[in-house]
């Protein structure tokens, strides 16, 4: 029985693409998928988020916030992936941080049988480091990289201080990501 979904998560607007590939159980909720995305992408889970699947909005209901949009937001804690995703090549949009608008495309690549030797969820691949939080979205991220990589830029030192360290845009530690997934999902 195919009860594992292979998803490719791509941060839109980045070139080369910043992406992760994960294997998740089809019974996980969108709330759980949000946690997975936060861990594998390297986000800090400090902003609002929302999924959109075939025009349906799924996220954390916040009465005072949702009233402004006029559309119903389905509670992510009540919706499983298998109830919405039915086959390969389906896309899910995920936005994290409505200010910086980190827009992601989640592509269902394939459905797989579970393997008892694997602890799910698991990250099976990825490329490049995720942008730091609150850097101004995609335009701010690329401006930040320009400043950090130009030691003569007048804002170079200030940007390094804001970052707290040098941002290695190539860094992606799959083992560390999987350690965090195990800790979050299996240490409760």
């Amino acid at each position: 029985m195919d009860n594992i979904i292979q998803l490719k998560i791509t941060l839109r607007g980045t070139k080369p693409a910043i992406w992760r590939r994960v294997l998740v159980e089809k019974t996980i909720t969108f709330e759980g998928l949000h946690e997975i995305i936060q861990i594998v992408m390297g986000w800090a889970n400090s902003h609002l988020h929302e999924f959109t699947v075939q025009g349906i909005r799924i996220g954390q209901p916040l009465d005072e916030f949702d009233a402004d949009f006029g559309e119903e937001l389905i509670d992510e804690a009540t919706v499983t992936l298998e109830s919405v995703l039915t086959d390969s090549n389906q896309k899910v949009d995920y936005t994290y941080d409505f200010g910086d608008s980190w827009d992601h495309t989640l592509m269902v690549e394939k459905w797989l049988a579970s393997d008892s030797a694997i602890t799910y969820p698991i990250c099976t691949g990825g490329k490049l480091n995720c942008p730091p939080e609150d850097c101004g979205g995609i335009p701010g991220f690329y401006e930040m990289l320009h400043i950090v990589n130009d030691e003569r830029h007048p804002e170079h030192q200030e940007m390094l201080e804001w970052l707290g360290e040098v941002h290695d845009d190539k860094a992606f530690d799959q083992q560390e990501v999987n350690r965090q997934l195990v800790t979050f999902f299996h240490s409760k």
Side-chain angles (χ1 to χ4, degrees), residues 72-92:
E72 183 181 353
L73 181 74
I74 299 172
D75 185 348
E76 65 187 16
T78 66
V79 182
T80 62
L81 298 189
E82 71 181 331
S83 69
V84 177
L85 303 177
T86 55
D87 56 26
S88 298
N89 298 318
Q90 269 186 284
K91 288 184 182 177
V92 176

Side-chain angles (χ1 to χ4, degrees), residues 4-182:
I4 301 299
I5 303 172
Q6 179 175 298
L7 292 170
K8 184 175 182 184
I9 304 162
T10 305
L11 180 60
R12 290 199 299 260
T14 59
K15 221 171 194 179
I18 297 171
W19 63 271
R20 306 292 184 261
R21 181 168 285 118
V22 295
L23 302 179
V24 300
E25 294 172 304
K26 69 180 183 180
T27 56
I28 197 163
T29 63
F30 277 84
E31 180 179 51
L33 181 58
H34 162 71
E35 297 295 347
I36 292 167
I37 295 168
Q38 290 293 300
I39 292 169
V40 301
M41 294 303 290
W43 297 121
N45 202 7
S46 57
H47 298 281
L48 296 174
H49 66 277
E50 182 175 293
F51 294 93
T52 306
V53 186
Q54 300 165 340
I56 300 167
R57 296 174 54 229
I58 302 169
Q60 286 180 306
L62 301 168
D63 294 336
E64 68 280 358
F65 189 72
D66 294 332
D68 295 339
F69 287 94
E71 299 173 15
E72 183 181 353
L73 181 74
I74 299 172
D75 185 348
E76 65 187 16
T78 66
V79 182
T80 62
L81 298 189
E82 71 181 331
S83 69
V84 177
L85 303 177
T86 55
D87 56 26
S88 298
N89 298 318
Q90 269 186 284
K91 288 184 182 177
V92 176
D93 293 321
Y94 171 79
T95 298
Y96 172 65
D97 184 352
F98 298 130
D100 280 357
S101 294
W102 301 111
D103 295 321
H104 305 71
T105 298
L106 285 62
M107 174 64 80
V108 176
E109 292 186 314
K110 58 180 142 178
W111 292 72
L112 304 163
S114 63
D115 181 338
S116 61
I118 297 175
T119 302
Y120 300 99
I122 187 169
C123 180
T124 61
K127 290 280 187 217
L128 304 175
N129 195 358
C130 194
E133 300 268 348
D134 302 320
C135 70
I138 296 296
F141 171 57
Y142 283 110
E143 178 65 13
M144 180 211 76
L145 288 178
H146 169 74
I147 292 169
V148 166
N149 292 323
D150 180 359
E151 291 182 11
R152 295 179 304 188
H153 193 284
E155 297 174 32
H156 178 78
Q157 192 57 41
E158 181 182 337
M159 185 62 73
L160 290 178
E161 288 171 14
W162 178 78
L163 285 168
E165 59 185 70
V166 175
H167 178 82
D168 181 356
D169 59 317
K170 307 247 185 299
F172 169 62
D173 187 340
Q174 185 175 330
Q175 283 185 306
E176 175 58 20
V177 164
N178 282 322
R179 187 196 63 74
Q180 289 178 29
L181 286 170
V182 167

